[in-house]
Amino acid sequence: SDDDQELIKVLRRASTLTTSRGSSIPSKTVILTTLNSAWAGPGSILDLFLESFRAGNGTQQLMDNLVIVSLDHKAHQRCREIHRHCYAMATPGVNFTGDAFFMTEEYLLMMWRRIDFLASVLRHGFDFVFTDADILWFRNPFPHFHDDADFQIACDTYLGSASDRHNIPNGGFVYARSNHRTLHFYKYWYNSKDRFPGKHDQDVFNEIKFDPFLDGLRMRFLDTAYFGGFCQPVKDLNVAITMHANCCVGLQTKVHDLRNVLDDWKRFAKFPMEERSGVSFDWRSPRVRCR
């Protein structure tokens, strides 16, 4: 289809820069985020997200590989004003412009449309890191991913072992390699929504992660000591890779707390490298009202 051709074109463009600039990202790999207009306005989530790439250690060049997938026309317009790789994801008959409140019908449609879209990226032969836009990036995650995994996912709660399927995952940050195992898995995940009506992708993943069907999938969970969030914040800024505004409901709350976290990071980054390990540092966010 035309949509498919356009997607392949955008993915190729975003992943060719990887090889041409000698990036530390593997070839045929893209970074993806989805966005609607509620998250896209000036001074909103999108601006903080992109600002974190510019302020992080070795993250600025990763913007060359970032594709912003917009869910509505206004978000797509905004993306084209400020970023080089934009893709408009069509969902006929659905309006994704507003702040989709958690677990409403619009929210569930949006989450499942996203799983379906990510499956199509894998089908086209591209590996991806999917990141929610309410995640700040402080360091390049690629050197810290597990070499032997097909599918890696961040956690709301990490229990101490990367292979323990009892970890509480968060689908807002995922690294998937395109192969027959991940293709089968994404198809199975998407189709499982019918077995668990009214549940979103993360809850359904929790339901199916022990299924024997997934035994062949090399799955790893990412340690919150590095890939943190407001549920379990990263304690040491010397090793922080990402920080997710999870366990935090409401657009304004997220913007407020992510702004604090980003400003904290910038203050920390001003310390000379040799002094950083001795810096005792507490995030100003999240606060109790987020939980």
Side-chain angles (χ1 to χ4, degrees), residues 7-15 30 32 67 121 124 126:
L7 175 60
I8 291 166
K9 204 163 77 185
V10 174
L11 295 173
R12 272 196 192 133
R13 235 178 10 236
S15 60
V30 291
L32 303 167
V67 178
V121 173
H124 293 312
F126 291 86

Side-chain angles (χ1 to χ4, degrees), residues 11-30 61-62 64-65 85 126:
L11 295 173
R12 272 196 192 133
R13 235 178 10 236
S15 60
T16 345
L17 285 165
T18 303
T19 41
S20 66
R21 299 198 186 185
S23 164
S24 51
I25 291 195
S27 62
K28 281 205 95 174
T29 303
V30 291
Q61 67 268 33
L62 297 179
D64 287 343
N65 312 108
H85 306 304
F126 291 86

Side-chain angles (χ1 to χ4, degrees), residues 1-228:
S1 73
D2 288 351
D3 272 355
D4 263 8
Q5 290 313 308
E6 177 60 22
L7 175 60
I8 291 166
K9 204 163 77 185
V10 174
L11 295 173
R12 272 196 192 133
R13 235 178 10 236
S15 60
T16 345
L17 285 165
T18 303
T19 41
S20 66
R21 299 198 186 185
S23 164
S24 51
I25 291 195
S27 62
K28 281 205 95 174
T29 303
V30 291
I31 300 166
L32 303 167
T33 193
T34 48
L35 194 70
N36 68 355
S37 56
W39 282 36
S44 192
I45 296 277
L46 175 63
D47 281 3
L48 290 166
F49 175 67
L50 294 176
E51 193 182 328
S52 78
F53 277 84
R54 290 189 287 270
N57 281 357
T59 47
Q60 179 143 4
Q61 67 268 33
L62 297 179
M63 291 168 81
D64 287 343
N65 312 108
L66 171 68
V67 178
I68 295 174
V69 180
S70 46
L71 303 174
D72 61 63
H73 178 65
K74 209 167 155 188
H76 190 57
Q77 273 184 312
R78 169 86 171 126
C79 176
R80 291 180 66 176
E81 286 164 17
I82 61 173
H83 189 63
R84 67 196 301 174
H85 306 304
C86 305
Y87 175 74
M89 184 172 81
T91 308
V94 181
N95 178 6
F96 286 146
T97 53
D99 183 11
F101 290 104
F102 190 60
M103 295 310 290
T104 58
E105 195 179 341
E106 288 81 9
Y107 177 85
L108 292 172
L109 276 169
M110 197 156 70
M111 294 300 102
W112 286 112
R113 178 69 184 95
R114 188 171 88 182
I115 295 297
D116 191 35
F117 171 76
L118 294 175
S120 73
V121 173
L122 294 173
R123 263 198 318 276
H124 293 312
F126 291 86
D127 300 354
F128 65 77
V129 172
F130 174 79
T131 170
D132 275 343
D134 63 343
I135 294 180
L136 302 178
W137 285 50
F138 302 130
R139 288 182 173 83
N140 181 347
F142 285 91
H144 306 275
F145 286 133
H146 299 271
D147 290 337
D148 60 345
D150 302 312
F151 173 82
Q152 310 180 43
I153 187 166
C155 295
D156 282 341
T157 309
Y158 182 75
L159 302 172
S161 163
S163 51
D164 182 356
R165 295 197 180 191
H166 291 95
N167 284 308
I168 310 299
N170 187 300
F173 190 87
V174 162
Y175 179 30
R177 292 186 167 102
S178 174
N179 58 39
H180 67 279
R181 291 181 296 274
T182 51
L183 283 166
H184 284 312
F185 163 56
Y186 266 84
K187 189 176 177 185
Y188 185 66
W189 190 0
Y190 183 75
N191 290 336
S192 296
K193 74 185 188 310
D194 302 326
R195 284 166 49 204
F196 304 99
K199 292 202 167 194
H200 63 67
D201 56 318
Q202 203 166 288
D203 282 346
V204 170
F205 175 69
N206 259 330
E207 297 279 359
I208 66 171
K209 64 188 178 183
F210 294 105
D211 287 9
F213 183 82
L214 302 183
D215 282 354
L217 182 76
R218 295 175 306 188
M219 188 190 300
R220 293 291 178 271
F221 297 85
L222 298 169
D223 190 341
T224 51
Y226 309 96
F227 299 89

